[in-house]
């Protein structure tokens, strides 16, 4: 519908006051990896996400993206992520083309390249949200497409909108990103979530990170070295309660059974080791929060859900606001 | 978008005159089972369904539910039911998020509880239409959700919108619900449709029910006892033509092959026993109708389709109006 | 929503000037096969497709089909075709009900006839776009439905919208259809695309067709006889470069591996025989084009993509305009 570097005049429903961006605007072209964002960009995106929250709560059917068409091109199913993006587009009055089985896309099955598929789909839509099973696929898609591409997860690679919504949740709940203490708990070896989060936390000043994980799924050296290089203090701990009492954010993750293969004994041992329950909650500070990327099994007990510090469902909802913000920024700019 | 107990002022496109409900309004919160509705509520819903019929036939694109988002969360596929709900929502200007494979929903597959899935999905939508393979799932979802839930079938349990559309069809075609004679034909043991219908018919006065079914799939005792308790006259018969000549409604059902396991001989015998054909039609009264919840195999012969008394495709269409009515009532009230 | 032979007054967004059709209008009811269109109709459809191109490029969200609902009833998946139709509908402001697994449609799986399924779905929508695995299914659907039906491919039978978009692309790129020279290359035995194209080319004057294909997948006799009967000159050639230097259009197709069964040696031989590469491109005329129905494997080398004569992605995009045109014509007329 539109070329990428278009200039647009259209009435935006919310009052905007981007003093920060006066004379310093940039055009967001694609969302490929968490590291592409600097502090100022993150701050600007979060501001738009707040506006989106207002739109979603107060207006009946925003028409901000009326006439725009988003293609959700999912090469592996991820219903939660897909519904979040599609809700974001529809909450802004945009429309959606969906395929959750792009891998069986008759064309891909017949041997068509990703590049050719993207060239076809970009003819039908204004923006592509792609999930793929191969690391680097999102970047290849973005290099081919003449319309914006959002990476909704590419294999073991990146899932940048998850990292953004995590950071947005911390800022929204704690009120700041500098000077925070974050405990990363659970499967720190395999979760791309906590790895991306570590990268983004390193952009802020005076952050302290605690790693609490079973021995078999410890945080890998590359992240620790990265944090050290960036001047972020970190330590490993085996005492979840002590860490919980110190932190602003306790970020729990699921131990991924599929990583343990036949060693279900190791899985069961790892899984039961660090659980957030009423007792852990009891030592946490009043203003602190518990986060989790979901789905959870029992690594956070249901008894925690009713506590105002249980932020994980608010966190999931923030994914909607972040995605609304990104769709707006990519399609019509600041 | 909205909390459950909201009050709304918005221009409704049809003139409404709910004298019945003056001073007696109620807020419909969820649709979980047929029995939740009393006569007055059924009557009020049917009145709204008639208004929906007018909207669907006369207007180009009602905007009654503009800005609302429905999530169809289907844990087992049911394309007919899903399309009917999605058409209802879109005919009223609303939007839809679809998942037909919620069971493989990466989260559910990973062990997430239904309650957690509902808490996530309610953040993306204004109403949830759920089909599930487990009896009682709809009630659990409704207890969790802060937005309305409609049960689109939960296993062997309930399928309340089917029961409502059946009753609406009878009232629409025959002109009354008190004093009617209804023949229930075919598989009366396994069909939840005829069981729900029996429950709802018992709410009306002076109703007579005939059961006509092969011996192996007879109506179960609990329903017979329920009807007796409610003062509904019923009898069993082996003479379809005699029953057909008496009834206002002949409600045929499909003999479900899957219930017979390896005994395909019993299935074939049961299946051929009570067929609606030109001959049966010939003894029916001028004002009477043939109904069927669809899909049908050959338990109603194709030769019947052209007769004005063949009401089953109109019945399917009435499902649209009932679902439009329920969506309107749950989202913006009377 | 509307009966088939309705007359409509509604503001159309583009200025139309159908002098050709003054006093000669016709009502397009269904799109079942390529042969149903004569030259004048094709010309008229292509004119509307050009208007659609203008709408898609210049307007933000046309509302031409606002309030209309299209059901994409796919009995076998074809994501590319489905997305193209759904984009066409949404670009015109219409809405879509989707099912890509109609074969497992619980009803079809239970033995419901196509006719009964159509009678149900037509109650939920204003137009049906159907893909089916059986030749002739589209015609059966059209005979049953009281709303328009578009054939999006029925087994080995027809795929008329592909044939229309191919002809539209030739006219759009070359500027004429009479007097053109077309080289059909690749799998001419199995591709329904080139067969349909041959039928439509025969409607024009002074057309010359070249067949260039491996021996095992030669064009069949019926098409050759048809062309001869219609006075179309044709010849077979083994020299792709000579043909390419003569033609206005080089229409390449994919050798379909699935047709060769266990004889992968024959497949590999056939597949490598006629490739469009820089060398072939080098002998083509300045105004000539390369077409392909996509997906392609390596029968057109990636090095060709950057040349302005590589028309295949423009051709895919033209599918959008043709489908927008057909939806408009079937739903609201000329």
């Amino acid at each position: 519908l539109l070329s990428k570097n278009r200039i647009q005049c259209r009435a935006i429903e919310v009052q905007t006051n981007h003093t920060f961006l006066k004379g310093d605007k940039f055009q967001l072209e694609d969302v490929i990896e968490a590291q592409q964002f600097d502090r100022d960009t993150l701050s600007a995106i979060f501001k738009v996400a707040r506006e989106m929250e207002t739109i979603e709560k107060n207006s009946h059917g925003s028409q901000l993206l009326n006439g725009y068409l988003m293609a959700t091109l999912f090469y592996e199913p991820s219903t939660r992520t897909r519904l979040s993006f599609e809700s974001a587009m529809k909450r802004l009055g945009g429309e959606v083309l969906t395929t959750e089985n792009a891998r069986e896309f008759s064309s891909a099955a017949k041997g068509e390249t990703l590049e050719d598929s993207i060239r076809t789909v970009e003819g039908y839509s204004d923006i592509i949200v792609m999930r793929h099973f191969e690391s680097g696929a999102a970047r290849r898609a973005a290099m081919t497409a003449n319309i914006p591409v959002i990476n909704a997860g590419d294999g073991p690679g990146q899932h940048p909108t998850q990292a953004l919504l995590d950071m947005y949740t911390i800022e929204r709940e704690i009120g700041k990103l500098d000077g925070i203490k974050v405990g990363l708990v659970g499967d720190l070896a395999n979760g791309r979530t906590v790895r991306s989060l570590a990268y983004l936390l390193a952009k802020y000043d005076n952050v302290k990170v605690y790693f609490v994980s079973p021995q078999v799924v410890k945080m890998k050296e590359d992240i620790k070295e990265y944090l050290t290089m960036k001047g972020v203090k970190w330590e490993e701990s085996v005492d979840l309660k002590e860490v919980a009492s110190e932190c602003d954010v306790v970020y729990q993750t699921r131990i991924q059974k599929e990583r343990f293969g036949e060693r279900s004994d190791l899985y069961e041992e790892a899984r039961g080791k660090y659980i957030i329950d009423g007792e852990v909650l009891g030592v946490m500070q009043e203003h602190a929060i518990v986060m989790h990327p979901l789905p959870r099994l029992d690594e956070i007990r249901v008894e925690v859900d009713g506590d105002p510090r249980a932020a994980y469902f608010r966190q999931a909802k923030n994914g909607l606001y972040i995605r609304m913000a990104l769709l707006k920024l990519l399609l019509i700019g600041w």
Side-chain angles (χ1 to χ4, degrees), chain A:
Chain A
L1 198 64
L2 290 172
S3 72
K4 229 171 188 170
N5 297 306
R6 62 206 167 270
I7 296 172
Q8 287 235 352
C9 298
R10 60 163 49 212
I12 293 179
E13 291 175 22
V14 291
Q15 279 203 316
T16 57
N17 184 22
H18 295 301
T19 47
F20 159 70
L21 287 162
K22 282 257 178 70
D24 185 29
K25 290 190 188 186
F26 64 97
Q27 176 65 32
L28 198 57
E29 297 221 328
D30 298 291
V31 174
I32 303 305
E33 57 178 26
Q35 295 95 309
Q36 81 182 73
F37 302 105
D38 59 25
R39 276 184 71 131
D40 287 347
T41 312
L42 288 173
S43 169
I45 291 171
F46 295 168
K47 201 169 168 190
V48 177
R50 280 298 282 272
E51 297 166 7
M52 295 298 125
E53 200 167 328
T54 307
I55 287 181
E56 195 254 358
K57 285 186 175 140
N58 299 334
S59 81
H60 277 275
S62 162
Q63 293 301 311
L64 204 57
L65 297 185
N66 183 27
Y68 289 94
L69 202 39
M70 173 182 102
T72 40
L73 192 60
F74 273 43
Y75 285 82
E76 59 178 19
S78 175
T79 310
R80 179 189 299 271
T81 302
R82 180 173 65 79
L83 293 185
S84 175
F85 271 109
E86 295 184 0
S87 179
M89 191 65 182
K90 292 186 174 183
R91 286 294 189 210
L92 291 173
E95 268 294 342
V96 173
L97 299 176
T98 296
T99 179
E100 204 170 18
N101 295 303
R103 197 171 194 168
E104 296 158 53
F105 201 80
S106 57
S107 313
K110 287 170 185 160
E112 186 177 59
T113 62
L114 175 62
E115 282 77 4
D116 274 17
S117 297
I118 292 292
R119 277 191 194 94
T120 301
V121 173
E122 73 173 334
Y124 304 153
S125 57
D126 302 308
I127 187 167
I128 293 173
V129 174
M130 188 177 90
R131 188 178 192 103
H132 203 279
F133 48 91
E134 273 177 21
S135 188
R139 184 175 300 280
R140 284 169 57 207
M143 285 177 63
T144 301
N146 288 307
I147 60 174
V149 171
I150 300 180
N151 182 3
D154 54 348
Q158 284 274 343
H159 190 10
T161 59
Q162 176 72 44
L164 289 180
L165 78 89
D166 286 345
M167 294 298 282
Y168 178 63
T169 299
I170 297 173
E171 198 208 39
R172 189 84 178 73
E173 299 270 340
I174 305 299
K176 61 176 184 178
L177 287 164
D178 289 317
I180 56 168
K181 294 179 179 172
V182 179
L184 301 177
V185 185
D187 184 346
L188 305 184
N190 302 301
R192 65 185 163 192
T193 303
V194 287
R195 292 174 55 85
S196 298
L197 193 56
Y199 279 120
L200 289 186
L201 286 170
K203 295 181 189 291
Y204 292 84
D205 298 331
N206 202 23
V207 168
K208 173 83 184 273
V209 178
Y210 299 84
F211 301 124
V212 185
S213 69
Q215 190 64 25
V216 286
V217 286
K218 280 179 65 179
M219 180 56 84
K220 289 178 178 163
E221 290 306 315
D222 63 335
I223 295 288
K224 293 180 196 165
E225 284 162 16
Y226 182 83
L227 292 178
T228 301
M229 187 185 78
K230 292 284 179 177
V232 178
K233 279 169 281 175
W234 59 267
E235 64 176 79
E236 295 184 307
S237 169
V238 295
D239 188 339
L240 175 56
K241 279 173 79 172
E242 191 186 294
V243 166
S245 70
E246 286 288 330
C247 282
D248 302 289
V249 176
V250 176
Y251 196 108
Q252 175 68 296
T253 59
R254 184 172 63 91
I255 306 288
Q256 297 177 46
K257 188 176 186 181
E258 54 273 30
R259 305 286 180 172
F260 287 82
E262 309 230 316
R263 297 303 305 269
S264 60
D265 54 329
L266 290 181
Y267 166 66
E268 290 301 337
E269 189 192 324
R271 175 186 175 181
K273 200 157 175 69
Y274 298 111
I275 302 286
I276 313 283
D277 54 15
E279 219 178 308
V280 173
L281 202 65
V283 302
M284 284 176 63
Q285 298 170 60
E286 201 61 42
H287 77 280
I289 56 169
V290 179
M291 293 177 66
H292 192 295
L294 303 182
R296 62 137 169 214
L297 302 188
D298 57 4
E299 61 273 6
I300 301 177
R301 300 283 187 232
V302 174
E303 71 200 51
V304 175
D305 294 5
D307 193 283
R309 290 169 291 181
Y312 27 97
F313 292 115
R314 297 194 295 274
Q315 179 187 357
K317 180 86 185 216
N318 285 337
L320 181 69
Y321 304 133
I322 283 291
R323 284 156 189 146
M324 288 171 78
L326 293 173
L327 290 170
K328 181 207 175 250
L329 292 174
L330 288 164
L331 286 167
I332 59 176
W334 297 97

